[in-house]
Every structure is written in C-alpha cells, then in structure tokens.
Amino acid sequence: MAIIYDEQQRTLTLHTKNTTYQMQIDKFGFLLHLYYGKRAEGCMDYLLTYYDRGFSGNPYDAGRDKTYSMDALPQEFPSLGTGDYRSPACIIKNTDSTYSSDFRYVDHEIRDGKYALQGLPAVYAGDEEAQSLEVKLEDKVTGVQAVLLYGVLPEYDVITRSVKIVNGGAGNITVEKLCPACLDMTGGNYDFITFYGRHAMERNYQRMPIGHGLSKIGSLRGSSSHQYNPAVIVADHGTTEEAGGCYALSFVYSGGFQSEAGKDQYNQTRVVMGISEEQFAYPLKPGESLQAPEVILSYSAAGLELLSQNLHRCIRTHLCRGKYKEAVRPVLINSWEASYFDFTGESLLKLAEQAAQLGIEMFVMDDGWFGNRDSDLRGLGDWKVNEKKLGCSLKELISRINGLGLKFGIWIEPEMVNEDSDLYRAHPDWAFVIPGRRPNRSRHQLVLDFSRREVVDYIYAQICSVLDQGNVEYIKWDMNRSLADIYSATADSQGRVLYDYTLGLYDFLERLVKRYPNILIEGCSGGGGRFDAGMLYYTPQIWCSDNTDALDRVEIQYGTSFIYPVSSVGSHVSASPNHQTGRCTSLHTRGTVAMAGTFGYELDLNQLTDAEKNEIRSQIKDYKKYAALIQRGLYYRLTCPQTDDVGAWAFVSEDRSEALVQAVTLKQHANMPVNYIRIRGLEEGCMYREASTGRVYSSAALSDAGFPIPIAMGEHQAYQWHFVKEK
Ligand code: GLA
C-alpha cells in the first residue's frame, strides 16, 4: 500500500520505494504537513512544536492557547485568513469581497491508479503502478472547497500534487492565486536551484541559498518561457551530484507560472509552485470549479544525479505518450538553417536527396511553405500550401521525398497570426489586442486568442486539411513570441483568459495527438521557450534551443538535464561557423554534442566536402549504435560546464553493463594541465573494456582516480568512449 490512513494519529502517509510524505489532520481540522524525505515509518508529528509566538496569532478554536499558531505550523495548502502570514498557496476573493479562506478537513479517499485531469496534461500510471489520494477541505463559511489530489508512483519515487477549487457557495467568487504544490519544511538550510535564461541561451543552472525574504522565479509571458523554467530543485546546502537530500518540483504546465522560496521568521522554509498570479483572477459561479495543473515532486537522499534520473524515468515513461515515447527517433534534416525562407520545391528535394545518401531518415520542411510567407513579416494564419513556391502540390512533394526513402515532416505555428494575412484581415478580433490600444508586436506577429473555442476549431481544421494532403510523419509545433495585450472579446472576465489560452492549446494538441497517433510532434518556442513537462505530454521531444553552437549547447543541455530526459532534447548538427555565435567547431564536436539528444542535422548538406559527407555517414552509424543507450540510459553529469575546463557526461545502462562517455574541452591553454573525469555509474568491483582501444579498466579506478582527457592542439575537441563490462 502506497497510501496509508492511520485513524488514531489521523495521519495520511504516502510511501514510495525510497521516500515518505506525511500529513496530519489536526485537532481543529487543519491539514498540517509533517514530513517529506527519506523513507520513514511511524508518525512524524513530533516535528511540530508549540510556543507562544507573540505576534503570530491564534485561530479562535485555540481558545486561550497562545502556542497554537498557523503562522508557525507547516501546512499542506496554506490560504489567507487563518493567521498564516507567509506566502499562501491560494487566494480567493469571496462573494462578499473578503479574502479569507479557512479550509478544514472534510473527508478523504484512497484509490488505486493515478488520477487524470480533465483537459490538462498529467502523469499517468496503471492501477498496479500507482495510488491516488483525494483530500477534501472546506471553508464552512463560504462553502468553497479545495480538493487536494496526490498521485503516488512508488517505483519512480514520484509524488504528484494538484488541487481543484469548487465553488460550493451561493455567490460568485474569484480565484486570484493557485499553487498546487506547497512544501513546508520545519528545519534545515536549503538552496534554491533554478534554470534561468534568454532566447538562444536557455536553462542556465543557478544555485542560491534560501534565506529570509522570498526568492521568486516565474513567467508573466503566458508561456513557460526562455527566462525561467517551470521546474526548481530545493537541495540541502551540502548536496552534490552524488550525495545529500534534494527535492524537485516540476510544473506540468506550459503557461505563466511562479515559484517562491523563503525562510520564515522561525527559519522554516516554504516553497510553492503554481500558476502566475499576474493577470490571474479566475471567476467561479456557484457550482463551478477550477482544476489546477499538477506538480511532479521527487525526493532523492543520494544527490542530484539520482533526483534527475527519477524525473527522467517518470517523464519519459509516464508523461510522454504515443508511438515514439520509447522509440529511437528518426535522424532528421531540418531545412531552417539550410535555407531559411529561401527555398523552392526543387531546392528542398536537392537537400533531401543529399540527406538520403548520407543515411538521414526524415526530411523536415520548416517555416516558409504556406500563404505568402517569404519572410517573418507575413503569412502566419494562412495555412494554405504555397504550391507556386513549391512548384507542386504538398502531396507530390511528400511522395517524392518518401520515394527517396525519407519520412516527411512539416513546421507549423498555429497560435500566431501576422497582420499581413488573410486570416487577420477577416478576423482581426481573433488576435490579442486591447480595444483602443495598439498591440505589442514581436517578430512582427500577434497571438491568436486560443481561449476562444471557435478560434481553436478554425485553426485546427486548417492544419488538419494540410496534414491530410499527404503522408506527414512529423510536426514541429512552434510558438515564437510571448503573449501580451490580453483581451478576449467573448470572455466574462479577462482574468481567466491566460489560463483558458493554455487550456485551448492543450485541447488543440490533444485532438491532434488522437487524430494522428502516428505523427511524431516536436515542440518548439523560438527553441526552448516552452520546454516544460506540460508540453512533453503531447510532444515527446522539444527543440532545445535556437542556439545550435556546440559549446553553448553543452551548457544548455547541462541545465536541461537536471529535469528533462535526453529523449526529449531536440539537438542538431549545424554549420560552422555557427549561425548564432560565429564560432567554428569541428563536425566531430558538433556531432558529439548533438548525439546527447534526439539527433539530427540542420545545414545545407550540398555545401559539404566529400570528407565531411563521409564523416556524417559514420556519425549516423555511430549514433544508431548508441541511440537506445543514450535515450534510455541513466544520465550522469560528470562535470559542470559553467566552471570546469571540460564538459562531460555519461549514459549508463540500467544494468550497468555498458556506459557511453562523451566529453568536450571547453577551454584550451598552452601547456595545459590534464583533466581527469571521474566516471560514475559503473558497477563497483568490475572491469570495463573501452571499445576503441580494447584496454580494460577497473571501475574503482575510473570512478576514483578518473579518466584523463587527452591534450590536443585546437579548440573544443570532443571525445567519446564506450565502456563495456567484462563478463
Ligand atoms: C523559430 C524556431 C526555429 C525555426 C524558426 C522558423 O525561431 O525555433 O527553429 O523553426 O522559428 O521561423
């Protein structure tokens, strides 16, 4: 049993294989958080302490007991109005315009299987793999309920949390803040690890101590954003890759979000994660409810690498869906950096022919194939194939590409519209524009109001009519600007529009996934601007960054690896000098870095020398050889590319029988000291043979003394070693 209710102690305990999460219904009906950490038995309510805390007030029920204060007790779902002055998980404006919510326990239910969320992405699991807990809380005065949901996947050391607010009262209310996850920790000193960035340089690792005063990250952009990723790690000060306690909170949501972390006056830490409060004021009429997206939680007592491995496994196998979730993805060539908007059907075919000769398996026609889209000034919204530009129908182009032995994929950006488009001319009110104001443009485009069903329906029909023209086997779903000027002509309140927009996006994606179960969808938002667990429910891979520079990619992929599996990381070999940085790197280095993801190419293959073409042929063979290990192996970060001279990582098979180690020298010096990379993850006390040299090494020496990175002339050399356990 993963979930246990102890009637005597009134505790609800959630066990996974290595972790335990416990809460208690206290004497007044408040739901207190007791514990989350290493697997533990018994009741942890000894952690609660009661002292007279001066200005921390007491609920009326406590009578003259000044030692009972919600301002000091750890809680599951803190709200305003109970005397807790820390950051709440929920703020509700009641019918009478007051802001108090006094949620008390009503009942609970334990079920086999993992709950699902209507219209929202969520972790899924069979009845034998998971259990769910629903705890109903209610504010007796307003009749408003908070229904807390917990999903427990014991084998994965994962617990999920969501919450539904139900307006059980007689008047209208507004939900102004909703964070499905709150972690209150009574002791300890923690660090807040977050992943910040910008377009073309996403998910940089940052670690800072959680102190007094809130550390807050989030996105006000209507999408999860390049600037902060909707996943955080809370780690003990001393936690390293290999040792120490740490928690992950990964939001399964692709809209604006926020996460706050801070110590309270008694040095207790609270971390919350949920929907961005900005422009959020969700109205609920009597009987209506609002379901929040879920947060994936995991705890590791053995450092960050195990935490990442837990998340990778859960996201890869219980969040990603469809035919491709476990399959090695086809090696693709994407037309974007090969020719941008400047192509014809013939030039695409020339690229495809070359790709086929090199062993590439799929051709992706990127932006520029529809409407009058010859630049980013126009055309978005007009999802009609530009047959004049292609010189043939889409059907014919696809069958010629299929005839070369390649699958065919296509780029779309359904959420957007250019003012210079037939769609905008016909339906200007379908774009987010505030009446009387001029909208903010970004990349010359506006955002379609996907909170409106008719807009989603229309674009969906347009896209389907394109996809139905031929044998499309891959879609790149792009989204190239942040939302602004939020105004929906048909909404009863503008405070719901951003949330409903994301629900509209999910509705579209769900319909697409159901109608085309054989199509592989890759998410994208100017690269990795919407790289989140929500999107991964629909798109098992996401274009990691518009930055294809091999060196920058080592850092971007490093940050990404803390939360997301390698199978989700879109990664391509592009031209040198690189189009984003101007940096030159060898084809070998670019190939090595791109292999740590879903491998592909994005350059004009016709410009390559014969030697380079041969190298690509063997690169693809190499990738194929290791692809299953790369995709499903346990991931180890062997260095920190932000501070080390070398970027190195390893994929180790779950049975420890083999490991692929990849390394790139990031800094080059004269008379350079040797860098030794300690290879983790190998089975203790075993010997491993390195495939290229045949030399046998002891796993103890490889992990303790390390493996020397050769010193060679020239910048940014890359290396790859395959270690196989001796029988
Ligand atoms: C975005 C994507 C690129 C490419 C262009 C096309 O920037 O991230 O990969 O598809 O759009 O306009």
Side-chain angles (χ1 to χ4, degrees), residues 199 336 341 366-367 373 411 443 476 478 480 524-527 543 546 602:
H199 174 238
W336 183 242
F341 291 107
D366 208 281
D367 197 356
R373 180 93 171 153
W411 178 97
R443 208 191 186 203
K476 177 172 169 190
D478 213 337
N480 282 321
C524 178
S525 175
W543 182 225
D546 271 351
E602 187 158 342

Side-chain angles (χ1 to χ4, degrees), residues 576-616:
S576 179
N578 178 268
H579 290 191
Q580 293 81 39
T581 61
R583 185 166 18 222
C584 294
T585 49
S586 71
L587 187 52
H588 178 61
T589 298
R590 282 173 275 149
T592 307
V593 175
M595 278 189 206
T598 67
F599 189 60
Y601 291 84
E602 187 158 342
L603 73 171
D604 186 356
L605 300 170
N606 293 303
Q607 305 287 326
L608 300 178
T609 63
D610 286 345
E612 286 171 320
K613 287 179 189 165
N614 282 335
E615 191 174 342
I616 289 185

Side-chain angles (χ1 to χ4, degrees), residues 108-136:
H108 75 267
E109 204 186 313
I110 297 168
R111 288 190 291 263
D112 284 340
K114 163 73 178 51
Y115 64 80
L117 300 176
Q118 179 69 33
L120 284 165
V123 167
Y124 58 88
D127 280 3
E128 61 303 329
E129 289 176 304
Q131 277 199 317
S132 297
L133 166 69
E134 186 178 301
V135 187
K136 198 186 287 165

Side-chain angles (χ1 to χ4, degrees), residues 21-24 31-36 47-48 73-77 161 182-186:
Y21 187 110
Q22 193 173 64
M23 61 196 101
Q24 186 173 49
L31 190 62
L32 302 181
H33 177 77
L34 295 185
Y35 176 79
Y36 186 27
L47 291 165
L48 305 176
L73 287 166
Q75 296 163 61
E76 276 301 305
F77 191 63
R161 283 194 65 173
C182 172
L183 274 185
D184 271 358
M185 288 172 283
T186 41

Side-chain angles (χ1 to χ4, degrees), residues 376-629:
D376 59 14
L377 285 167
R378 58 186 64 87
L380 285 172
D382 294 341
W383 300 107
K384 296 260 169 355
V385 179
N386 186 344
E387 296 189 347
K388 204 161 145 231
K389 181 169 181 175
L390 294 184
C392 62
S393 67
L394 180 62
K395 187 182 174 65
E396 194 183 329
L397 180 72
I398 298 178
S399 48
R400 287 177 70 185
I401 285 176
N402 284 169
L404 295 167
L406 295 177
K407 295 180 192 301
F408 178 83
I410 197 167
W411 178 97
I412 56 174
E413 193 179 359
E415 296 153 84
M416 299 293 158
V417 66
N418 285 116
E419 287 155 274
D420 186 355
S421 69
D422 293 341
L423 179 72
Y424 187 77
R425 282 182 282 272
H427 296 285
D429 63 312
W430 282 11
F432 281 131
V433 177
I434 298 175
R437 291 184 192 272
R438 291 185 185 279
N440 288 282
R441 292 181 177 136
S442 183
R443 208 191 186 203
H444 315 293
Q445 62 199 56
L446 303 179
V447 184
L448 287 171
D449 180 359
F450 265 32
S451 75
R452 287 170 68 172
R453 173 86 190 199
E454 70 271 33
V455 179
V456 172
D457 284 351
Y458 178 87
I459 302 292
Y460 178 72
Q462 300 293 107
I463 296 292
C464 289
S465 74
V466 171
L467 299 177
D468 291 343
Q469 285 171 34
N471 181 26
V472 176
E473 296 186 72
Y474 163 104
I475 293 168
K476 177 172 169 190
W477 179 303
D478 213 337
M479 194 273 191
N480 282 321
R481 63 160 290 175
S482 306
L483 276 60
D485 305 289
I486 302 307
Y487 171 79
S488 181
T490 54
D492 57 357
S493 151
Q494 299 306 319
R496 65 183 297 157
V497 176
L498 278 175
Y499 192 63
D500 287 351
Y501 174 92
T502 309
L503 295 184
L505 164 70
Y506 290 153
D507 172 38
F508 193 136
L509 281 162
E510 185 64 26
R511 287 194 241 171
L512 211 56
V513 163
K514 289 270 152 61
R515 179 164 165 159
Y516 303 101
N518 293 325
I519 294 185
L520 169 63
I521 311 180
E522 176 156 353
C524 178
S525 175
R530 200 162 58 182
F531 202 124
D532 57 64
M535 285 307 288
L536 288 174
Y537 186 65
Y538 309 95
T539 72
Q541 63 193 58
I542 298 176
W543 182 225
C544 183
S545 177
D546 271 351
N547 185 346
T548 53
D549 175 278
L551 253 74
D552 278 355
R553 270 300 184 109
V554 169
E555 278 191 47
I556 296 168
Q557 292 174 191
Y558 169 81
T560 307
S561 79
F562 281 86
I563 310 292
Y564 304 103
V566 169
S567 59
S568 68
V569 174
S571 202
H572 300 166
V573 174
S574 64
S576 179
N578 178 268
H579 290 191
Q580 293 81 39
T581 61
R583 185 166 18 222
C584 294
T585 49
S586 71
L587 187 52
H588 178 61
T589 298
R590 282 173 275 149
T592 307
V593 175
M595 278 189 206
T598 67
F599 189 60
Y601 291 84
E602 187 158 342
L603 73 171
D604 186 356
L605 300 170
N606 293 303
Q607 305 287 326
L608 300 178
T609 63
D610 286 345
E612 286 171 320
K613 287 179 189 165
N614 282 335
E615 191 174 342
I616 289 185
R617 280 191 192 93
S618 69
Q619 233 167 33
I620 293 173
K621 283 201 194 104
D622 230 24
Y623 176 69
K624 289 272 157 195
K625 192 156 76 189
Y626 300 124
L629 174 61

